[in-house]
Amino acid sequence: MITGEDFGRLFRDFQRTAFRLETLSVYDVAEEQEEFAAFLAGEPMGDSWHDSPWVRSMTDLGKELSRVHVLRSPLTDYLRYELAAYPGNITAGENIGIIDLAHQEVNGLPDHDFWLFDDAEVYRMHYTDAGQFIGAELLPGEAVQRYQGYRDIARKYAMPLADYRDQLPRN
């Protein structure tokens, strides 16, 4: 299981592609607590919301970053926050799709998060029940093909973020 700087190294070291499947309705990320509280209070968000420096640090090098978030509406406050932040990631070059299980059934996806790097390494993400990151587990090489299949299913059924946001009820 890797965490911290060892986990961060994965984003510096991949060469071509990184794909993320997200499945949780809440992620408890210490670095986001202040910003999340500001979001809930209706305060304006910082510049990174318009162009994510973290994503740009990879896409400016020609690397492809993509994710699909599998969720179920109605949205949690955290998911509303995350969906509001995603456009800055898209501006920086990330491809983001949404699968809302309240509107469509998708079979064949795992019930856990993972990262697939360069179609060569798969890391299963582990979280507490409250959504705190515990660590990432490198899966054996024979799992890569199965997780490529999960990625392909997720991409097939995902709706572009802009289309998903257009269907959300306005508050």
Side-chain angles (χ1 to χ4, degrees):
M1 193 91 65
I2 65 170
T3 60
E5 180 58 32
D6 290 333
F7 182 67
R9 173 191 53 78
L10 299 174
F11 299 95
R12 289 188 303 278
D13 291 352
F14 82 92
Q15 298 298 305
R16 298 175 319 282
T17 63
F19 172 82
R20 168 82 184 268
L21 184 75
E22 292 181 306
T23 61
L24 300 181
S25 59
V26 174
Y27 292 89
D28 185 357
V29 181
E31 296 83 21
E32 293 177 346
Q33 294 306 313
E34 190 174 311
E35 186 178 77
F36 180 50
F39 172 81
L40 291 177
E43 297 173 12
M45 297 293 103
D47 291 341
S48 67
W49 274 58
H50 306 291
D51 190 340
S52 170
W54 182 76
V55 171
R56 191 156 296 281
S57 73
M58 292 172 273
T59 59
D60 278 355
L61 297 173
K63 298 178 179 186
E64 178 186 311
L65 191 64
S66 62
R67 81 176 71 207
V68 171
H69 199 135
V70 180
L71 51 80
R72 183 178 303 279
S73 56
L75 301 176
T76 62
D77 285 342
Y78 184 84
L79 285 176
R80 288 187 317 99
Y81 160 76
E82 193 164 59
L83 290 173
Y86 280 161
N89 290 33
I90 291 171
T91 297
E94 184 175 4
N95 183 2
I96 299 176
I98 304 295
I99 296 173
D100 188 338
L101 296 176
H103 300 292
Q104 67 177 330
E105 185 175 325
V106 177
N107 295 314
L109 290 176
D111 64 352
H112 57 269
D113 290 25
F114 69 87
W115 278 100
L116 173 62
F117 293 100
D118 292 327
D119 281 331
E121 290 187 329
V122 177
Y123 287 83
R124 179 178 175 166
M125 309 295 286
H126 292 275
Y127 297 90
T128 66
D129 289 342
Q132 294 171 325
F133 179 61
I134 297 170
E137 170 190 8
L138 175 62
L139 299 181
E142 59 267 13
V144 169
Q145 189 172 11
R146 183 172 68 251
Y147 279 80
Q148 288 170 332
Y150 295 153
R151 178 207 51 212
D152 295 346
I153 291 168
R155 285 181 171 167
K156 177 180 177 180
Y157 289 97
M159 173 183 297
L161 176 65
D163 294 349
Y164 179 74
R165 288 175 55 141
D166 286 346
Q167 355 177 93
L168 291 174
R170 304 287 180 226
N171 293 350

